[in-house]
């Protein structure tokens, strides 16, 4: 499912217009991004949690040329699935 499919599903299941559903989804994602940028953890009960991990810069090699490359420090989002989601997925696939 992508973002536009999520918006369509939200609109259909809750009797919202596509514009209203778009505002809801965008607000939700924007709030999550703002919290992660602020260094906070985002937990959605029944789904999982998101946090921002910071990685130091390092020297690596280009695998194609073997040339030494400096990789800049970066921050990446990290998702950890919650127990309810893990249990649900294992129940439905068994």
């Amino acid at each position: 499912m992508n973002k536009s499919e999520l918006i369509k599903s939200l609109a259909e299941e809750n009797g919202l217009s596509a514009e209203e559903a778009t505002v809801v989804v965008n607000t939700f994602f924007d709030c999550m991004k703002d919290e992660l940028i602020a260094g906070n953890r985002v937990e959605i009960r029944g789904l999982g949690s998101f946090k921002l991990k910071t990685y130091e810069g390092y020297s690596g090699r280009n695998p194609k040329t073997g040339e030494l490359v400096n990789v800049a420090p970066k921050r990446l989002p990290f998702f950890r699935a919650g127990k309810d989601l893990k249990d649900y997925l294992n129940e439905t696939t068994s």
Side-chain angles (χ1 to χ4, degrees):
M1 174 179 273
N2 61 33
K3 186 176 176 182
S4 61
E5 291 169 337
L6 176 62
I7 290 168
K8 183 179 177 187
S9 178
L10 179 66
E12 289 173 356
E13 290 183 24
N14 294 286
L16 300 172
S17 69
E19 292 79 20
E20 291 171 321
T22 300
V23 169
V24 170
V25 170
N26 286 336
T27 301
F28 177 75
F29 289 152
D30 289 343
C31 288
M32 285 183 61
K33 289 188 281 189
D34 292 343
E35 288 300 310
L36 290 171
I37 287 171
N40 298 323
R41 183 172 166 262
V42 176
E43 182 178 338
I44 302 169
R45 299 285 170 140
L47 180 68
S49 62
F50 297 84
K51 69 178 180 177
L52 201 57
K53 282 193 169 185
T54 302
Y55 296 92
E56 298 296 324
Y58 60 92
S59 293
R61 292 206 178 268
N62 180 329
K64 192 171 186 177
T65 65
E67 178 184 351
L68 192 61
V69 178
N70 287 323
V71 179
K74 56 189 159 197
R75 297 184 304 170
L76 297 172
F78 179 78
F79 174 74
R80 176 167 295 180
K83 183 182 182 313
D84 291 346
L85 178 60
K86 290 178 194 176
D87 291 346
Y88 176 78
L89 294 174
N90 285 312
E91 288 172 6
T92 58
T93 58
S94 300

